[in-house]
DNA sequence: TGTACATCAGTGAACGCGCGTTCACTGATGTAC
DNA sequence: TGTACATCAGTGAACGCGCGTTCACTGATGTAC
């Protein structure tokens, strides 16, 4: 059946959105095309009308994921008192809401280790989308030059992603909370010192 | 054929050692039993004389991995000038040798994200081996109480693991080095401040 | 305005592949007599 | 001391399974006349 004009684009976006969530929740290897399409009440065959292969979808899902978390952090910064933007961002990043929802959370926490194992080409694609978000968030991070701010931003967020990832492995709720609380002051100190 | 008395134990240890390396290099999902055994000039069938399943091997490989990196860091601490032990540990953890050799490096950097996706039982096993190494390294970390030192140790190493993982995705050698250098002073400041 | 045809997003069977796991078997050596 | 048997680490074919990907097909709607 032939579909209305914007139908294809809309389906494509639904696929990317669902993939961004599934990949982060289950890992890129752990999330299959068939299950993804089934969630959208579609069949796996149709996937290839939208993407050449799974890797291409991963790249787009990654990009969406980075934009989502940056938006979330920017919103937290906007609500903060003057001069408290960076602290608000760190609190939001290491907050229970982010920790409990990896599916809509930072791709660094979800995908850095698996991307590190991928061939060069995948890694440069990762770098590209990461860099655009680093640039966006660097304005909140202190530093004499733009390069210094961007480097510090990369270290800060990759560091927080590591701790967030660890927190997600912890089964005891109280201990997880304690690790996150400790991490907040740790990273605030590191970035402002 | 019947083998000498300690033969079985020796083979078992060879399997764990090879697995610890392969899992960290390729990810737990990316490293198969058959290829692992082939590397040891054995066939996949024999694997099940030593382990009930792949998960059991992963748990042991994880433990070995944690011990290996802790040994490495303790050695670095021992060579350091008095009062410089923690700085030496951080420098070693974020050094090019560790970054370039994920196969013998910290399991936190390699496996945290995938463990976070596993069922509760796997996660508690992970917690157990992690905790023993955190206890071991906590003596180098400042803090008023033992609990405080251990929490800070967990945050410090998970944070460094996140940044190390990110560094491993970076294709440009110079930029990777710059990120690691920046991270060293970042984490030293955070932990001593 | 009515009709014939082209389009193309989506369908679902089928493909090859690698995986974890099982199992009947092998055969050199330890043990019982 | 010599012989028959038990042991069991390791072998390799076979299993079911889920995966990414391909492809001939469908059929409602847009377009050409």
């Amino acid at each position: 059946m032939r579909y209305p004009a914007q139908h294809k684009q809309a389906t494509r976006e639904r696929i990317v959105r669902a993939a961004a969530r599934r990949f982060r929740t289950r890992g890129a290897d752990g999330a299959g095309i068939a299950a993804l399409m089934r969630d959208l009440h579609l069949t796996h065959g149709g996937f290839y009308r939208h993407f050449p292969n799974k890797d291409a979808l991963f790249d787009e899902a990654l990009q969406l994921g980075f934009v989502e978390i940056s938006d979330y952090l920017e919103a937290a910064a906007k609500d903060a008192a003057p001069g408290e933007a960076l602290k608000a961002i760190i609190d939001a990043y290491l907050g229970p809401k982010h920790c409990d929802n990896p599916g809509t959370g930072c791709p660094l926490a979800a995908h850095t280790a698996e991307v590190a194992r991928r061939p060069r080409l995948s890694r440069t694609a990762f770098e590209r989308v990461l860099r655009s978000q680093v640039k966006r968030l660097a304005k909140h991070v202190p530093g004499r030059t733009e390069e210094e701010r961007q480097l510090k931003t990369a270290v800060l967020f990759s560091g927080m992603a590591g701790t967030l990832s660890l927190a997600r492995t912890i089964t005891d709720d109280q201990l997880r909370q304690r690790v996150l609380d400790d991490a907040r002051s740790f990273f605030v100190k590191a970035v402002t010192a």
Side-chain angles (χ1 to χ4, degrees), chain A residues 123-137:
Chain A
R123 281 152 57 208
T124 53
F126 179 79
E127 268 179 80
R128 203 163 28 244
V129 292
L130 173 62
R131 195 184 289 267
S132 70
Q133 299 312 308
V134 165
K135 275 185 186 157
R136 191 180 160 192
L137 292 164

mmCIF file with all atom_site columns, all heavy atoms in Angstrom, chain A residues 123-137:
data_model
loop_
_atom_site.group_PDB
_atom_site.id
_atom_site.type_symbol
_atom_site.label_atom_id
_atom_site.label_alt_id
_atom_site.label_comp_id
_atom_site.label_asym_id
_atom_site.label_entity_id
_atom_site.label_seq_id
_atom_site.pdbx_PDB_ins_code
_atom_site.Cartn_x
_atom_site.Cartn_y
_atom_site.Cartn_z
_atom_site.occupancy
_atom_site.B_iso_or_equiv
_atom_site.pdbx_formal_charge
_atom_site.auth_seq_id
_atom_site.auth_comp_id
_atom_site.auth_asym_id
_atom_site.auth_atom_id
_atom_site.pdbx_PDB_model_num
ATOM 1   N N   . ARG A 1 123 ? 34.517 4.370  15.466 1.00 0.00 ? 123 ARG A N   1
ATOM 2   C CA  . ARG A 1 123 ? 34.982 5.216  16.550 1.00 0.00 ? 123 ARG A CA  1
ATOM 3   C C   . ARG A 1 123 ? 35.036 6.685  16.142 1.00 0.00 ? 123 ARG A C   1
ATOM 4   O O   . ARG A 1 123 ? 34.722 7.566  16.943 1.00 0.00 ? 123 ARG A O   1
ATOM 5   C CB  . ARG A 1 123 ? 36.336 4.727  17.053 1.00 0.00 ? 123 ARG A CB  1
ATOM 6   C CG  . ARG A 1 123 ? 36.193 3.512  17.975 1.00 0.00 ? 123 ARG A CG  1
ATOM 7   C CD  . ARG A 1 123 ? 37.392 2.605  17.967 1.00 0.00 ? 123 ARG A CD  1
ATOM 8   N NE  . ARG A 1 123 ? 38.606 3.289  18.317 1.00 0.00 ? 123 ARG A NE  1
ATOM 9   C CZ  . ARG A 1 123 ? 39.820 2.936  17.912 1.00 0.00 ? 123 ARG A CZ  1
ATOM 10  N NH1 . ARG A 1 123 ? 39.967 1.876  17.129 1.00 0.00 ? 123 ARG A NH1 1
ATOM 11  N NH2 . ARG A 1 123 ? 40.858 3.612  18.281 1.00 0.00 ? 123 ARG A NH2 1
ATOM 12  N N   . THR A 1 124 ? 35.401 6.956  14.907 1.00 0.00 ? 124 THR A N   1
ATOM 13  C CA  . THR A 1 124 ? 35.417 8.358  14.477 1.00 0.00 ? 124 THR A CA  1
ATOM 14  C C   . THR A 1 124 ? 33.994 8.916  14.405 1.00 0.00 ? 124 THR A C   1
ATOM 15  O O   . THR A 1 124 ? 33.767 10.092 14.707 1.00 0.00 ? 124 THR A O   1
ATOM 16  C CB  . THR A 1 124 ? 36.118 8.541  13.114 1.00 0.00 ? 124 THR A CB  1
ATOM 17  O OG1 . THR A 1 124 ? 35.531 7.656  12.166 1.00 0.00 ? 124 THR A OG1 1
ATOM 18  C CG2 . THR A 1 124 ? 37.603 8.239  13.213 1.00 0.00 ? 124 THR A CG2 1
ATOM 19  N N   . ALA A 1 125 ? 33.028 8.072  14.030 1.00 0.00 ? 125 ALA A N   1
ATOM 20  C CA  . ALA A 1 125 ? 31.626 8.510  14.019 1.00 0.00 ? 125 ALA A CA  1
ATOM 21  C C   . ALA A 1 125 ? 31.181 8.861  15.436 1.00 0.00 ? 125 ALA A C   1
ATOM 22  O O   . ALA A 1 125 ? 30.511 9.878  15.660 1.00 0.00 ? 125 ALA A O   1
ATOM 23  C CB  . ALA A 1 125 ? 30.733 7.420  13.439 1.00 0.00 ? 125 ALA A CB  1
ATOM 24  N N   . PHE A 1 126 ? 31.576 8.034  16.384 1.00 0.00 ? 126 PHE A N   1
ATOM 25  C CA  . PHE A 1 126 ? 31.282 8.280  17.801 1.00 0.00 ? 126 PHE A CA  1
ATOM 26  C C   . PHE A 1 126 ? 31.912 9.587  18.253 1.00 0.00 ? 126 PHE A C   1
ATOM 27  O O   . PHE A 1 126 ? 31.263 10.427 18.883 1.00 0.00 ? 126 PHE A O   1
ATOM 28  C CB  . PHE A 1 126 ? 31.828 7.097  18.610 1.00 0.00 ? 126 PHE A CB  1
ATOM 29  C CG  . PHE A 1 126 ? 31.637 7.199  20.097 1.00 0.00 ? 126 PHE A CG  1
ATOM 30  C CD1 . PHE A 1 126 ? 30.409 6.898  20.675 1.00 0.00 ? 126 PHE A CD1 1
ATOM 31  C CD2 . PHE A 1 126 ? 32.689 7.558  20.917 1.00 0.00 ? 126 PHE A CD2 1
ATOM 32  C CE1 . PHE A 1 126 ? 30.242 6.947  22.051 1.00 0.00 ? 126 PHE A CE1 1
ATOM 33  C CE2 . PHE A 1 126 ? 32.526 7.623  22.296 1.00 0.00 ? 126 PHE A CE2 1
ATOM 34  C CZ  . PHE A 1 126 ? 31.294 7.315  22.858 1.00 0.00 ? 126 PHE A CZ  1
ATOM 35  N N   . GLU A 1 127 ? 33.176 9.759  17.912 1.00 0.00 ? 127 GLU A N   1
ATOM 36  C CA  . GLU A 1 127 ? 33.891 10.985 18.270 1.00 0.00 ? 127 GLU A CA  1
ATOM 37  C C   . GLU A 1 127 ? 33.181 12.229 17.770 1.00 0.00 ? 127 GLU A C   1
ATOM 38  O O   . GLU A 1 127 ? 33.083 13.226 18.478 1.00 0.00 ? 127 GLU A O   1
ATOM 39  C CB  . GLU A 1 127 ? 35.300 10.964 17.653 1.00 0.00 ? 127 GLU A CB  1
ATOM 40  C CG  . GLU A 1 127 ? 36.382 10.395 18.540 1.00 0.00 ? 127 GLU A CG  1
ATOM 41  C CD  . GLU A 1 127 ? 37.739 10.394 17.851 1.00 0.00 ? 127 GLU A CD  1
ATOM 42  O OE1 . GLU A 1 127 ? 38.387 11.439 17.803 1.00 0.00 ? 127 GLU A OE1 1
ATOM 43  O OE2 . GLU A 1 127 ? 38.107 9.320  17.328 1.00 0.00 ? 127 GLU A OE2 1
ATOM 44  N N   . ARG A 1 128 ? 32.692 12.141 16.528 1.00 0.00 ? 128 ARG A N   1
ATOM 45  C CA  . ARG A 1 128 ? 32.068 13.295 15.896 1.00 0.00 ? 128 ARG A CA  1
ATOM 46  C C   . ARG A 1 128 ? 30.834 13.747 16.677 1.00 0.00 ? 128 ARG A C   1
ATOM 47  O O   . ARG A 1 128 ? 30.703 14.923 17.017 1.00 0.00 ? 128 ARG A O   1
ATOM 48  C CB  . ARG A 1 128 ? 31.694 12.945 14.451 1.00 0.00 ? 128 ARG A CB  1
ATOM 49  C CG  . ARG A 1 128 ? 31.552 14.131 13.559 1.00 0.00 ? 128 ARG A CG  1
ATOM 50  C CD  . ARG A 1 128 ? 31.596 13.770 12.058 1.00 0.00 ? 128 ARG A CD  1
ATOM 51  N NE  . ARG A 1 128 ? 31.123 12.432 11.763 1.00 0.00 ? 128 ARG A NE  1
ATOM 52  C CZ  . ARG A 1 128 ? 31.864 11.451 11.253 1.00 0.00 ? 128 ARG A CZ  1
ATOM 53  N NH1 . ARG A 1 128 ? 33.124 11.665 10.960 1.00 0.00 ? 128 ARG A NH1 1
ATOM 54  N NH2 . ARG A 1 128 ? 31.347 10.266 11.002 1.00 0.00 ? 128 ARG A NH2 1
ATOM 55  N N   . VAL A 1 129 ? 29.940 12.814 16.983 1.00 0.00 ? 129 VAL A N   1
ATOM 56  C CA  . VAL A 1 129 ? 28.720 13.206 17.703 1.00 0.00 ? 129 VAL A CA  1
ATOM 57  C C   . VAL A 1 129 ? 29.033 13.607 19.143 1.00 0.00 ? 129 VAL A C   1
ATOM 58  O O   . VAL A 1 129 ? 28.432 14.532 19.682 1.00 0.00 ? 129 VAL A O   1
ATOM 59  C CB  . VAL A 1 129 ? 27.628 12.113 17.669 1.00 0.00 ? 129 VAL A CB  1
ATOM 60  C CG1 . VAL A 1 129 ? 27.093 11.955 16.261 1.00 0.00 ? 129 VAL A CG1 1
ATOM 61  C CG2 . VAL A 1 129 ? 28.114 10.804 18.215 1.00 0.00 ? 129 VAL A CG2 1
ATOM 62  N N   . LEU A 1 130 ? 29.987 12.926 19.740 1.00 0.00 ? 130 LEU A N   1
ATOM 63  C CA  . LEU A 1 130 ? 30.393 13.287 21.099 1.00 0.00 ? 130 LEU A CA  1
ATOM 64  C C   . LEU A 1 130 ? 30.935 14.713 21.138 1.00 0.00 ? 130 LEU A C   1
ATOM 65  O O   . LEU A 1 130 ? 30.579 15.522 21.999 1.00 0.00 ? 130 LEU A O   1
ATOM 66  C CB  . LEU A 1 130 ? 31.457 12.315 21.618 1.00 0.00 ? 130 LEU A CB  1
ATOM 67  C CG  . LEU A 1 130 ? 32.090 12.684 22.948 1.00 0.00 ? 130 LEU A CG  1
ATOM 68  C CD1 . LEU A 1 130 ? 31.069 12.712 24.068 1.00 0.00 ? 130 LEU A CD1 1
ATOM 69  C CD2 . LEU A 1 130 ? 33.221 11.722 23.302 1.00 0.00 ? 130 LEU A CD2 1
ATOM 70  N N   . ARG A 1 131 ? 31.784 15.012 20.172 1.00 0.00 ? 131 ARG A N   1
ATOM 71  C CA  . ARG A 1 131 ? 32.438 16.317 20.144 1.00 0.00 ? 131 ARG A CA  1
ATOM 72  C C   . ARG A 1 131 ? 31.426 17.459 20.062 1.00 0.00 ? 131 ARG A C   1
ATOM 73  O O   . ARG A 1 131 ? 31.585 18.492 20.722 1.00 0.00 ? 131 ARG A O   1
ATOM 74  C CB  . ARG A 1 131 ? 33.397 16.382 18.946 1.00 0.00 ? 131 ARG A CB  1
ATOM 75  C CG  . ARG A 1 131 ? 34.388 17.532 19.009 1.00 0.00 ? 131 ARG A CG  1
ATOM 76  C CD  . ARG A 1 131 ? 35.221 17.596 17.750 1.00 0.00 ? 131 ARG A CD  1
ATOM 77  N NE  . ARG A 1 131 ? 36.178 16.515 17.649 1.00 0.00 ? 131 ARG A NE  1
ATOM 78  C CZ  . ARG A 1 131 ? 37.449 16.593 18.074 1.00 0.00 ? 131 ARG A CZ  1
ATOM 79  N NH1 . ARG A 1 131 ? 37.881 17.705 18.613 1.00 0.00 ? 131 ARG A NH1 1
ATOM 80  N NH2 . ARG A 1 131 ? 38.258 15.578 17.943 1.00 0.00 ? 131 ARG A NH2 1
ATOM 81  N N   . SER A 1 132 ? 30.372 17.259 19.278 1.00 0.00 ? 132 SER A N   1
ATOM 82  C CA  . SER A 1 132 ? 29.384 18.332 19.140 1.00 0.00 ? 132 SER A CA  1
ATOM 83  C C   . SER A 1 132 ? 28.676 18.602 20.475 1.00 0.00 ? 132 SER A C   1
ATOM 84  O O   . SER A 1 132 ? 28.360 19.747 20.787 1.00 0.00 ? 132 SER A O   1
ATOM 85  C CB  . SER A 1 132 ? 28.376 18.000 18.035 1.00 0.00 ? 132 SER A CB  1
ATOM 86  O OG  . SER A 1 132 ? 27.545 16.930 18.435 1.00 0.00 ? 132 SER A OG  1
ATOM 87  N N   . GLN A 1 133 ? 28.466 17.546 21.267 1.00 0.00 ? 133 GLN A N   1
ATOM 88  C CA  . GLN A 1 133 ? 27.821 17.755 22.565 1.00 0.00 ? 133 GLN A CA  1
ATOM 89  C C   . GLN A 1 133 ? 28.806 18.314 23.588 1.00 0.00 ? 133 GLN A C   1
ATOM 90  O O   . GLN A 1 133 ? 28.424 19.088 24.470 1.00 0.00 ? 133 GLN A O   1
ATOM 91  C CB  . GLN A 1 133 ? 27.178 16.472 23.080 1.00 0.00 ? 133 GLN A CB  1
ATOM 92  C CG  . GLN A 1 133 ? 26.083 15.932 22.163 1.00 0.00 ? 133 GLN A CG  1
ATOM 93  C CD  . GLN A 1 133 ? 25.076 16.975 21.731 1.00 0.00 ? 133 GLN A CD  1
ATOM 94  O OE1 . GLN A 1 133 ? 24.500 17.681 22.568 1.00 0.00 ? 133 GLN A OE1 1
ATOM 95  N NE2 . GLN A 1 133 ? 24.859 17.104 20.424 1.00 0.00 ? 133 GLN A NE2 1
ATOM 96  N N   . VAL A 1 134 ? 30.064 17.912 23.478 1.00 0.00 ? 134 VAL A N   1
ATOM 97  C CA  . VAL A 1 134 ? 31.105 18.466 24.361 1.00 0.00 ? 134 VAL A CA  1
ATOM 98  C C   . VAL A 1 134 ? 31.188 19.974 24.152 1.00 0.00 ? 134 VAL A C   1
ATOM 99  O O   . VAL A 1 134 ? 31.224 20.750 25.111 1.00 0.00 ? 134 VAL A O   1
ATOM 100 C CB  . VAL A 1 134 ? 32.474 17.796 24.106 1.00 0.00 ? 134 VAL A CB  1
ATOM 101 C CG1 . VAL A 1 134 ? 33.592 18.615 24.732 1.00 0.00 ? 134 VAL A CG1 1
ATOM 102 C CG2 . VAL A 1 134 ? 32.485 16.381 24.665 1.00 0.00 ? 134 VAL A CG2 1
ATOM 103 N N   . LYS A 1 135 ? 31.182 20.378 22.881 1.00 0.00 ? 135 LYS A N   1
ATOM 104 C CA  . LYS A 1 135 ? 31.224 21.814 22.566 1.00 0.00 ? 135 LYS A CA  1
ATOM 105 C C   . LYS A 1 135 ? 30.057 22.548 23.191 1.00 0.00 ? 135 LYS A C   1
ATOM 106 O O   . LYS A 1 135 ? 30.194 23.650 23.728 1.00 0.00 ? 135 LYS A O   1
ATOM 107 C CB  . LYS A 1 135 ? 31.181 22.017 21.042 1.00 0.00 ? 135 LYS A CB  1
ATOM 108 C CG  . LYS A 1 135 ? 32.546 21.918 20.400 1.00 0.00 ? 135 LYS A CG  1
ATOM 109 C CD  . LYS A 1 135 ? 32.484 22.244 18.915 1.00 0.00 ? 135 LYS A CD  1
ATOM 110 C CE  . LYS A 1 135 ? 33.838 21.995 18.256 1.00 0.00 ? 135 LYS A CE  1
ATOM 111 N NZ  . LYS A 1 135 ? 33.724 21.768 16.805 1.00 0.00 ? 135 LYS A NZ  1
ATOM 112 N N   . ARG A 1 136 ? 28.893 21.911 23.123 1.00 0.00 ? 136 ARG A N   1
ATOM 113 C CA  . ARG A 1 136 ? 27.677 22.519 23.629 1.00 0.00 ? 136 ARG A CA  1
ATOM 114 C C   . ARG A 1 136 ? 27.723 22.708 25.146 1.00 0.00 ? 136 ARG A C   1
ATOM 115 O O   . ARG A 1 136 ? 27.281 23.736 25.675 1.00 0.00 ? 136 ARG A O   1
ATOM 116 C CB  . ARG A 1 136 ? 26.510 21.617 23.249 1.00 0.00 ? 136 ARG A CB  1
ATOM 117 C CG  . ARG A 1 136 ? 25.171 22.220 23.465 1.00 0.00 ? 136 ARG A CG  1
ATOM 118 C CD  . ARG A 1 136 ? 24.075 21.244 23.053 1.00 0.00 ? 136 ARG A CD  1
ATOM 119 N NE  . ARG A 1 136 ? 22.831 21.626 23.673 1.00 0.00 ? 136 ARG A NE  1
ATOM 120 C CZ  . ARG A 1 136 ? 21.730 20.867 23.706 1.00 0.00 ? 136 ARG A CZ  1
ATOM 121 N NH1 . ARG A 1 136 ? 21.759 19.682 23.131 1.00 0.00 ? 136 ARG A NH1 1
ATOM 122 N NH2 . ARG A 1 136 ? 20.651 21.287 24.289 1.00 0.00 ? 136 ARG A NH2 1
ATOM 123 N N   . LEU A 1 137 ? 28.280 21.712 25.852 1.00 0.00 ? 137 LEU A N   1
ATOM 124 C CA  . LEU A 1 137 ? 28.282 21.759 27.319 1.00 0.00 ? 137 LEU A CA  1
ATOM 125 C C   . LEU A 1 137 ? 29.493 22.485 27.899 1.00 0.00 ? 137 LEU A C   1
ATOM 126 O O   . LEU A 1 137 ? 29.482 22.879 29.070 1.00 0.00 ? 137 LEU A O   1
ATOM 127 C CB  . LEU A 1 137 ? 28.207 20.333 27.878 1.00 0.00 ? 137 LEU A CB  1
ATOM 128 C CG  . LEU A 1 137 ? 26.876 19.595 27.646 1.00 0.00 ? 137 LEU A CG  1
ATOM 129 C CD1 . LEU A 1 137 ? 27.036 18.097 27.876 1.00 0.00 ? 137 LEU A CD1 1
ATOM 130 C CD2 . LEU A 1 137 ? 25.771 20.169 28.534 1.00 0.00 ? 137 LEU A CD2 1
#
